[in-house]
Amino acid sequence: MAFTIEMLYSLVILLFCSLGNSLSSNYYGKTCPEVESIVAKVVKDATSKDKTVPAALLRMHFHDCFIRGCDGSVLLESKGGNKAEKDGPPNLSLHAFYVIQNAKKTVEAVCPGVVSCADILAFAARDSVVLSGGPTWYVPKGRKDGRTSKASETTQLPAPTFNISQLQKSFSLRGLSMEDLVALSGGHTVGFSH
Ligand code: HEM
């Protein structure tokens, strides 16, 4: 299966549907116009050193969006008594977090305190698909970073043992159709599985 226009469409729907706040095209137009090119360069440089980076970032974005919307909550560390999403069982095989950290650091040096980590991850997932030979798409901007991240909520991610009814239910709870499910499953064009 290859990346298709349907998959691209579904990713955009996923970004819109899983968020409560409204997004816009020129959110960083005045405050950080270079943000997308900065992130694209960081992802490209990381990929040139490690070919597993694009798949990692695409899956990371999906796992972020499915829990509490695309709010960067998958990036937060466990702290005190709170075990974060990152340390939930389905996320233990996520990797390449350092790429998002590098992108955030590089963006902060140019436009401090402006761009959310959630937006950076959304850009990076798109750039990853492009670098893998897939299509590009427009990423709406203005996601807010969440402060809540609970490992216990990662049970809401679809399990590899799910049958089609369970997958359909998991996606429909997030406003995604069967067509979206099939198209987004094309994300497995890249990457590995145990
Ligand atoms: C439909 C429900 C889904 C299930 C049950 C599922 C399950 C899985 C599993 C079990 C793996 C292997 C993890 C491992 O062995 O460590 C995996 C990998 C992956 N998934 Fe999914 N997935 C789903 C949807 C998606 C979606 C919507 C995307 C993105 C559009 C996606 C992108 C990926 C990628 C890129 C990898 C490879 C990650 C890597 O190589 O680092 N998956 N998925």
Side-chain angles (χ1 to χ4, degrees):
M1 190 193 284
F3 286 113
T4 60
I5 289 296
E6 287 77 20
M7 183 185 163
L8 186 161
Y9 165 79
S10 298
L11 277 165
V12 172
I13 300 266
L14 176 63
L15 303 186
F16 273 115
C17 289
S18 49
L19 287 159
N21 51 323
S22 60
L23 305 178
S24 71
S25 58
N26 65 344
Y27 193 80
Y28 300 118
K30 290 204 172 112
T31 52
C32 200
E34 301 305 317
V35 61
E36 288 185 76
S37 54
I38 295 171
V39 174
K41 185 175 181 326
V42 172
V43 175
K44 191 175 177 192
D45 289 351
T47 303
S48 69
K49 295 185 189 110
D50 177 359
K51 298 288 177 224
T52 72
V53 161
L57 298 180
L58 179 59
R59 186 172 184 231
M60 196 185 293
H61 185 41
F62 160 54
H63 283 211
D64 182 34
C65 293
F66 252 54
I67 310 295
R68 294 181 174 267
C70 313
D71 65 345
S73 55
V74 75
L75 304 167
L76 297 175
E77 300 293 342
S78 295
K79 202 175 166 189
N82 185 61
K83 200 171 165 191
E85 281 171 40
K86 205 183 216 185
D87 294 320
N91 286 339
L92 294 177
S93 53
L94 290 181
H95 58 112
F97 286 99
Y98 71 92
V99 180
I100 303 302
Q101 278 167 5
N102 285 349
K104 174 69 172 166
K105 209 167 131 189
T106 313
V107 168
E108 283 298 301
V110 181
C111 350
V114 171
V115 182
S116 68
C117 293
D119 274 348
I120 289 176
L121 182 51
F123 299 144
R126 184 266 318 274
D127 299 338
S128 294
V129 171
V130 172
L131 283 169
S132 304
T136 190
W137 65 89
Y138 157 73
V139 177
K141 305 153 191 73
R143 290 162 196 76
K144 306 283 183 238
D145 285 335
R147 289 163 186 244
T148 304
S149 181
K150 294 182 189 300
S152 56
E153 293 181 349
T154 58
T155 52
Q156 294 167 29
L157 284 162
T161 51
F162 271 15
N163 62 28
I164 191 66
S165 314
Q166 292 169 310
L167 286 172
Q168 191 172 10
K169 186 172 174 208
S170 170
F171 275 61
S172 75
L173 284 172
R174 290 155 179 90
L176 296 166
S177 67
M178 178 62 98
E179 195 176 347
D180 297 326
L181 164 60
V182 172
L184 281 165
S185 296
H188 297 119
T189 303
V190 291
F192 73 92
S193 178
H194 289 109

